[in-house]
Amino acid sequence: MPLLAALLATDDLEAALTAPEGSFSRHDLLGWAASIAGDLTGVPIAAVHAAPGAPTVAAVAGALLAGVPIVPVPPDAGRLEREHVLKDSGAALLLTDDPAAAGETGLPTLPITRTDRSTTIPGEPPGHAPALVLYTSGTTGAPKGVVISRAAIAADLDALAGAWEWTPADTLVHGLPLYHVHGLVLGALGPLRLGGRLIHTGKPHPDAYAQSAGTMYFGVPTVWSRIAAQPEAARRLAPARLLVSGSAPLPAPVFYDLRELTGQAPVERYGMTETLITISARSDGERRPGQVGLPLTGITTRIVDESGAPLPYDGVTIGNLQVQGPTLFDGYLRGGAVQSWGEGWYATGDVATIGPDGWHRIVGRASTDLIKTGGYRVGAGEVEDALLLHPAVHEAAVLGLPDPDLGERITAFVVADPIEEMELIAFVAERLAAHKRPRAVRLVEALPRNAMGKVQKSRLRDA
C-alpha cells in the first residue's frame, strides 16, 4: 500500500485540502505534488520552508512521491537554527516561495507555488527508505535530525486509524505547525494516507476552529486551554466526534471544561519525534484526565528502574518508560549518514506509571519532571494539576531545584491573579501528601513555551 494511498487512489474533484491559500481538490493536489516530484529527480535530500498552509503540504507530498527525504524547516527559526538545519541535513535545495528563507547559506531554492500540474507519478519507493528528517528542539544541545522511514509513518497512521476509527468520511481541522509529528505526520500526512478532508486554519485560533466544521480536531494543551476559555467557540465543536490533545500534558481542569462545553472528553495520546505516536486513548473507549491510554497496535511498552529492572504495573510506581515497535525512527543524521540508535527497547527519557489495566500516565521528562526530594519521588505533573485547581492560578510549572537538605526542593512557577505564596502551598498540601507540596512558589508573568506549547523548564531552571 503506497504511503500516500488516499492521495493516489482517486481523481476526486471535491475539496480535499482547505487552507488560507484556498481549497484544492485531491486531483489538483496530486498534480501539484507530482509537478514538484518531477523537479526533485536526482536530489538526494531536500528541505522545505514549512510555513503553515497548502504549499508546505504540497511540497512534502511531492518529496514523498519522488522518494526524496524531506527536512521541514520552521518558518520562525532564527538564523543560526535555520543554517544549522540546512547544513547539518545536507539538503541540496530548499523548497520555498520566499527565496530569502535560505538566508546566507547559498542553497538553491525551488518555488512551491506554481500553475504547472503533472500526471507523471513516480514509482513507490521501498518502505525502509527515509521519508522525513525532523529536527528536535535542541533542549540538550544543537537540534538533531531524526530520520523516520516511510514504513514507520505508515505503521503509525494505520494504528491511529484503528484506535480513532479514522476513515475517509472524516474532516480533520487543525492549525498546528507543519514541522512536527503532530501537525505534519498526523495532521497532514494522515488525510493523504487515510482519506478525508483536511482544513488547516493557518493558526490554531479558537475562532478559526469554531468556524471550521470538522469531525476531528487536533490541538496542543495551549490551544485547548484557549478554546475552553471561550465557551461559545468550544460549544461550536460539539458536533465533532473526536477532540485530540497531545504534544504536552493536558491540565485536568481543561479536560473537564472541554467535556462540559462540548459534551465529550478529549482523547489524549503520547509520542515523541523518535517514536511517533505510541500510546493513546481510544475513540470508542474510556478517556481519563491525566492519562494517555494504552499502547497502539504493534507497540509494546514497559517501565524500568535506573538499573533497567522492570517495575510493577500498579499505577503508582514511577519508572523510566521504554517502547518498541514498528513506528520507531532509524537513527540520527550525522555527517550525511544515519547513525542507528540501536535495537530492542528504546529509552524515551520520560518517566511514567502503568496501571494494572495497562493505562499509562506520563509523569514527564526524567531530567525535569521527576523530582527526588527527601527520599521521595514526586511527579511534577501531579503538583501542577493540584495548583491549577485553585481559581487564581492560570498556569503552573513545577520542577526540582537543588537543595542541600532535601536533595531537590519542589518549586512552582505560577501565572496567577494576586495571591500569597503560602496560600498556594497550603492549598496543595490539603490535596496531596505533605511531601508533595511546593517548598517555594514564584509568581511570573508568563511561562516560556516552544512552538508546540511545551513549557521549557530548562529556561526556568536557568533563570
Side-chain angles (χ1 to χ4, degrees):
M1 178 179 177
L3 175 57
L4 305 182
L7 179 64
L8 294 167
T10 177
D11 287 335
D12 189 359
L13 297 179
E14 295 295 323
L17 169 63
T18 298
E21 298 80 10
S23 292
F24 305 86
S25 70
R26 188 166 285 108
H27 175 78
D28 189 36
L29 183 58
L30 177 58
W32 187 2
S35 173
I36 293 170
D39 288 344
L40 292 177
T41 301
V43 173
I45 184 169
V48 58
H49 180 67
T56 295
V57 176
V60 173
L64 294 177
L65 288 179
V68 175
I70 187 76
V71 184
V73 181
D76 59 350
R79 179 179 62 83
L80 292 179
E81 179 185 358
R82 180 174 62 251
E83 291 178 356
H84 167 76
V85 170
L86 294 176
K87 181 178 180 180
D88 184 74
S89 66
L93 59 80
L94 176 66
L95 285 155
T96 179
D97 289 327
D98 177 13
E104 299 176 1
T105 62
L107 201 65
T109 60
L110 181 68
I112 304 172
T113 299
R114 56 185 65 194
T115 57
D116 294 346
R117 298 294 185 262
S118 175
T119 58
T120 301
I121 309 299
E124 180 71 10
H128 62 78
L132 296 173
V133 180
L134 301 180
Y135 274 76
T136 61
S137 58
T139 55
T140 57
K144 296 181 292 186
V146 177
V147 181
I148 303 170
S149 71
R150 303 173 70 91
I153 294 173
D156 202 50
L157 293 175
D158 291 348
L160 287 171
W164 295 346
E165 300 177 295
W166 192 345
T167 75
D170 279 306
T171 294
L172 170 62
V173 177
H174 76 88
L176 300 174
L178 296 177
Y179 49 87
H180 285 301
V181 169
H182 198 166
L184 178 59
V185 178
L186 277 61
L189 301 187
L192 298 185
R193 178 172 179 80
L194 304 173
R197 182 184 180 194
L198 168 62
I199 300 177
H200 195 281
T201 60
K203 293 184 177 180
H205 291 152
D207 288 344
Y209 276 43
Q211 294 166 10
S212 303
T215 61
M216 302 167 64
Y217 292 80
F218 287 176
V220 298
T222 302
V223 172
W224 292 121
S225 176
R226 292 172 180 171
I227 289 174
Q230 298 187 29
E232 289 305 313
R235 292 188 184 99
R236 298 270 302 268
L237 307 188
R241 67 174 192 83
L242 210 62
L243 310 178
V244 178
S245 182
S247 300
L250 183 70
V254 178
F255 179 99
Y256 292 124
D257 286 345
L258 286 173
R259 187 175 66 180
E260 179 179 351
L261 291 166
T262 68
Q264 64 166 300
V267 163
E268 295 189 65
R269 87 300 181 281
Y270 166 80
M272 57 193 306
T273 306
E274 288 89 343
T275 67
L276 302 181
I277 307 306
T278 52
I279 304 167
S280 179
R282 270 42 176 184
S283 60
D284 61 350
E286 187 179 2
R287 304 168 195 182
R288 304 175 187 175
Q291 299 191 48
V292 293
L294 302 163
L296 296 177
T297 299
I299 300 296
T300 307
T301 64
R302 70 178 184 181
I303 51 175
V304 299
D305 63 17
E306 284 77 4
S307 69
L311 294 171
Y313 293 3
D314 56 14
V316 177
T317 303
I318 298 174
N320 298 297
L321 180 64
Q322 298 182 339
V323 302
Q324 62 179 3
T327 67
L328 270 61
F329 73 129
D330 291 339
Y332 295 107
L333 192 63
R334 299 188 190 281
V338 180
Q339 180 178 333
S340 174
W341 64 270
E343 58 183 16
W345 291 100
Y346 178 73
T348 65
D350 288 320
V351 286
T353 67
I354 303 178
D357 57 0
W359 270 69
H360 291 57
R361 177 173 67 87
I362 306 300
V363 174
R365 297 299 291 171
S367 58
T368 58
D369 295 308
L370 178 61
I371 304 171
K372 298 177 181 178
T373 179
Y376 294 99
R377 295 158 64 92
V378 177
E382 185 179 14
V383 185
E384 291 164 355
D385 283 343
L387 285 164
L388 288 168
L389 294 175
H390 195 288
V393 176
H394 304 296
E395 296 180 87
V398 171
L399 62 156
L401 297 181
D403 185 276
D405 178 45
L406 298 170
E408 288 185 308
R409 178 177 68 259
I410 300 177
T411 304
F413 294 80
V414 175
V415 179
D417 299 329
I419 191 170
E420 293 296 323
E421 171 185 345
M422 292 308 301
E423 181 179 342
L424 289 179
I425 293 174
F427 182 81
V428 174
E430 291 173 359
R431 287 157 177 79
L432 302 178
H435 67 268
K436 296 181 180 180
R437 72 188 186 282
R439 299 295 179 131
V441 174
R442 301 181 183 179
L443 296 179
V444 296
E445 292 186 1
L447 297 177
R449 295 179 182 274
N450 65 16
M452 293 303 289
K454 293 182 182 179
V455 175
Q456 296 177 302
K457 291 189 175 182
S458 59
R459 290 176 58 185
L460 289 173
R461 187 186 298 277
D462 292 342

